[in-house]
Amino acid sequence: MTAGAVRRRPVVLVVEHDRECPPAWFGAWLDAAGCDLEICRPYAGDRLPEGVAGLAAYDGLLVLGGPMGAEDDDRHDWLGPVKELLRAARAADLPTLGICLGHQLIGAALGGRVVVNPLGQQLGLVAIGWTGDAAGDPLLGAVATPRRGVQWNNDVVSELPDGAVLLAATSGGEVQAVRYGPAMWGVQLHPEVDDVVLRPWAEEDRGSHETQGIDTDALLDAVRDARVELDGAWRPLAKRFAELVLEHAEERAGEQAGEHATEHAAR
């Protein structure tokens, strides 16, 4: 960056799959950490960028959760293009984070397998079971100490793609966090939610919870009561992701400045 230049805020493309699944707290934390968000809502007709060239306008990619399955391409016509976008992001080493469905879409896009969890739905506050690889991870190393996260999912990544590194799993072996590439991660938990965001999800599931003897209101109350704990646990994840996004933006700016200098010298 040249002397006196104003550093622009890096831009993170956020793919939202459902209006009830917003970036919420994670988006607010990214904004506070210096990132601008551009939210793409393909379910509402927004057009996704295409390929590496389409991603060139962005410094990071965040793919959120949603009520659909990662393999429901025939029911939700944007899921296939999102997987293509994720493959392009992997090829470009664009800092990328998938949350819940976003994590599952990465797994499926790169050749892994996503299934309905044979152990049942994961709900509420769940301890994160970090693996030995987590402590040195460029992103999740920032939070790889004992903590809880909110999970609200039916599906899990059951088989990782080639080259992926497991960073966290439950005591039952269910995948919780993965490094899918040098700059690509997925987390099964929802660092972005609070009880207000969860409530419409819980209301949709209330009938099935009642038949299983699950106290939906108690789950929501527990998440509400853990707000300070969850802020402390997951705001550092957003901060670290923002740092990686900024590093990527600065590296790209440096490369572009070098290219421009070479072109000028050649004239």
Side-chain angles (χ1 to χ4, degrees):
M1 184 176 296
T2 59
V6 176
R7 187 171 72 181
R8 71 173 179 85
R9 284 166 59 97
V11 180
V12 176
L13 175 65
V14 181
V15 179
E16 183 183 284
H17 298 283
D18 187 278
R19 66 183 181 86
E20 300 289 2
C21 303
W25 283 97
F26 206 84
W29 293 333
L30 286 178
D31 176 72
C35 294
D36 287 336
L37 307 184
E38 182 177 315
I39 301 179
C40 179
R41 299 178 174 92
Y43 63 90
D46 289 352
R47 186 171 181 175
L48 288 159
E50 295 183 10
V52 173
L55 286 171
Y58 305 100
D59 305 298
L61 175 62
L62 176 65
V63 183
L64 300 173
M68 61 286 297
E71 301 290 6
D72 289 347
D73 301 40
D74 57 337
R75 298 172 56 194
H76 305 282
D77 60 8
W78 69 87
L79 292 182
V82 169
K83 292 174 189 173
E84 293 175 6
L85 190 69
L86 287 165
R87 287 189 284 268
R90 173 68 177 81
D93 283 339
L94 182 72
T96 299
L97 177 63
I99 291 175
C100 196
L101 173 64
H103 148 67
Q104 296 164 11
L105 286 168
I106 297 173
L110 300 183
R113 187 173 179 228
V114 179
V115 300
V116 175
N117 189 353
L119 299 180
Q121 191 176 18
Q122 294 176 303
L123 297 167
L125 295 164
V126 179
I128 308 302
W130 302 110
T131 69
D133 289 309
D137 184 75
L139 174 63
L140 289 166
V143 295
T145 55
R147 65 196 62 214
R148 298 186 297 175
V150 177
Q151 293 194 208
W152 205 279
N153 56 286
N154 290 296
D155 297 350
V156 290
V157 176
S158 61
E159 296 178 14
L160 298 183
D162 291 344
V165 178
L166 180 67
L167 299 177
T170 68
S171 58
E174 300 145 301
V175 171
Q176 290 179 304
V178 179
R179 183 172 66 246
Y180 287 105
M184 177 171 276
W185 294 267
V187 293
Q188 186 60 71
L189 65 111
H190 283 280
E192 81 282 15
V193 303
D194 56 16
D195 61 300
V196 176
V197 175
L198 278 178
R199 186 164 296 280
W201 310 359
E203 292 304 327
E204 185 175 341
D205 290 345
R206 186 177 290 276
S208 64
H209 290 172
E210 289 174 353
T211 63
Q212 299 173 68
I214 296 170
D215 189 336
T216 303
D217 291 326
L219 290 172
L220 292 172
D221 288 346
V223 172
R224 182 196 63 218
D225 294 343
R227 185 66 257 154
V228 173
E229 173 194 342
L230 293 170
D231 285 349
W234 302 111
R235 184 168 188 153
L237 178 62
K239 181 175 182 293
R240 180 58 187 148
F241 186 65
E243 290 171 351
L244 293 174
V245 168
L246 179 58
E247 289 171 11
H248 178 80
E250 291 180 337
E251 288 174 5
R252 190 170 65 170
E255 291 170 358
Q256 291 172 345
E259 292 171 359
H260 292 159
T262 300
E263 290 174 1
H264 180 75
R267 291 175 186 169

